Amino acid sequence: MTVKAPEAIEVSPERFDALEPYELTDHLERGRVLLFPTPPLALPSEDDLRFLKGVTPQYHTAKNISYYPEAQMLRGIKAPPEIQQRTRQILKDYQERVEACLHKLIPGFTPGWRSATSSLRVFEENNRDIPIRARSDRIHLDAGTYGASRGDLILRFLTNLDDKERVWRCKGTVSDLVETYGEAAGLPRERDLLRDSAMSRSGSGVIRGLSKVIPAFGTLERSSYDKAMRHMHNYMKESDAFHEDSQGMVEIRFPPKSCWLVFADMAGHSCLSGEFAMINTFMVPRKNFRHQEFSPWEVLSRYAAGQSALPPDIPIVN
């Protein structure tokens, strides 16, 4: 089995207002990374950037400082009220600008989507002394971050706020990763792979009820789909053999002040180096895919049925 390297597709400013229908979404559905060397939206002001880079790092309490739009909550920071308020406002404003921008660039993905988080990363990613499953410099597929997705997808818009390049190493898209490494990751080729038990469904109902009072409870909900994707995430991060095999690996470099867009659960990715970055996340219903054959849900469904996890060869035609 050949593991392919995810492609980076550069989108220049001249194309922002002349995009064909599905031009960008078709690339994203195939696990590709859209790179915007020139941002398609206004970045935080220079004064706000100095604040984010010079003040917030001393108050962080987690991997990310994150604003949750639905709950209107700020997490990952413990600071005086005025510091928290300014941080919250910057992250909130940027999330709203990103959302408006994506409504223009990829309108086919936005019906029914959910604005999940606006996050700030403030530390150098290279050689961070944190548990291996939390490390960003190990290639992985994102999974299980926002509770039970049941096949909805994790769309991320990232912005390099640093004065140096942010470097990613990528390997494989979800279909050839599942086909090649699914059994090593502990995924059985059984039709029950994506079937939720009655106990799981009952527990999900309780968690959803509690999350209406305390939004953080929503992240505890899991489905069989999310557990399967988490198996892939953990195997990829923990397996030295996976990382030592260079087949399908590629480095993508993101210049200072550039932006990029990717389904983080469809492209195997890691961050080798880079310090300050914004990460804006949206949950996209899988039904919004033009070709659902590419979605991780369909990939795992084929795998569970004993078929090839690879999608049919569907050319991009605008």
Side-chain angles (χ1 to χ4, degrees):
M1 173 62 201
T2 300
V3 177
K4 300 177 181 178
E7 297 179 60
I9 307 297
E10 189 169 309
V11 185
S12 63
E14 303 80 57
R15 296 175 60 191
F16 292 168
D17 296 321
L19 293 168
E20 297 291 335
Y22 309 113
E23 185 173 349
L24 299 186
T25 57
D26 273 4
H27 286 304
L28 290 169
E29 287 184 4
R30 288 159 173 79
R32 295 169 182 165
V33 180
L34 298 182
L35 169 58
F36 302 88
T38 300
L41 77 173
L43 301 185
S45 70
E46 288 300 320
D47 189 48
D48 284 343
L49 290 177
R50 282 192 293 270
F51 170 81
L52 292 178
K53 296 161 74 171
V55 177
T56 59
Q58 60 189 301
Y59 297 109
H60 90 101
T61 60
K63 182 178 179 180
N64 296 325
I65 298 172
S66 297
Y67 171 71
Y68 292 78
E70 288 186 332
Q72 299 182 27
M73 294 173 58
L74 185 69
R75 293 196 161 197
I77 187 172
K78 186 176 182 180
E82 64 274 14
I83 301 294
Q84 293 205 52
Q85 178 56 33
R86 184 171 181 185
T87 303
R88 178 185 179 278
Q89 193 62 50
I90 294 171
L91 298 185
K92 177 179 183 291
D93 289 348
Y94 197 61
Q95 182 81 352
E96 291 173 353
R97 291 206 297 277
V98 171
E99 185 169 344
C101 174
L102 297 184
H103 270 291
K104 293 180 180 179
L105 292 177
I106 51 169
F109 283 159
T110 62
W113 74 347
R114 177 165 63 90
S115 184
T117 51
S118 179
S119 298
L120 173 69
R121 292 238 176 123
V122 298
F123 294 109
E124 173 58 53
E125 298 284 8
N126 187 29
N127 293 324
R128 290 187 67 184
D129 185 19
I130 55 179
I132 193 167
R133 290 185 181 180
R135 282 171 52 183
S136 296
D137 62 345
R138 301 285 283 186
I139 298 173
H140 61 283
L141 296 169
D142 283 14
T145 306
Y146 298 97
S149 68
R150 293 187 170 82
D152 289 348
L153 294 108
I154 304 170
L155 181 67
R156 292 219 154 112
F157 183 91
L158 301 100
T159 307
N160 182 9
L161 301 181
D162 207 348
D163 297 325
K164 61 180 182 294
E165 289 183 320
R166 194 172 184 89
V167 182
W168 273 20
R169 177 176 290 163
C170 299
K171 177 179 177 177
T173 56
V174 63
S175 57
D176 50 41
L177 290 170
V178 169
E179 178 68 14
T180 306
Y181 300 105
E183 292 182 8
L187 299 184
R189 285 187 177 267
E190 299 174 357
R191 292 187 179 276
D192 286 345
L193 178 65
L194 300 182
R195 186 174 299 167
D196 291 331
S197 67
M199 183 176 294
S200 173
R201 291 193 296 271
S202 174
S204 290
V206 172
I207 291 172
R208 282 196 295 272
L210 290 172
S211 68
K212 293 178 181 179
V213 181
I214 305 175
F217 272 113
T219 63
L220 301 177
E221 186 183 5
R222 291 290 182 268
S223 70
S224 293
Y225 165 84
D226 297 286
K227 291 176 183 176
M229 291 294 289
R230 194 68 186 176
H231 273 295
M232 290 299 301
H233 170 279
N234 293 345
Y235 167 79
M236 292 168 68
K237 282 200 172 181
E238 294 172 347
S239 172
D240 290 333
F242 173 81
H243 286 86
E244 290 165 1
D245 183 356
S246 61
Q247 183 187 76
M249 280 191 183
V250 64
E251 283 191 5
I252 305 175
R253 295 178 175 271
F254 304 101
K257 305 301 189 291
S258 66
C259 303
W260 58 106
L261 186 62
V262 64
F263 279 112
D265 44 4
M266 291 193 65
H269 64 284
S270 65
C271 185
L272 298 184
S273 64
E275 195 165 358
F276 297 100
M278 295 279 281
I279 305 173
N280 298 84
T281 304
F282 303 85
M283 299 301 297
V284 175
R286 58 187 168 92
K287 67 181 181 180
N288 290 0
F289 265 36
R290 182 186 185 194
H291 300 295
Q292 293 192 30
E293 298 93 331
F294 292 107
S295 73
W297 177 278
E298 293 298 331
V299 167
L300 288 170
S301 294
R302 291 192 295 270
Y303 174 89
Q307 305 167 6
S308 170
L310 302 179
D313 184 16
I314 303 175
I316 292 180
V317 180
N318 289 312

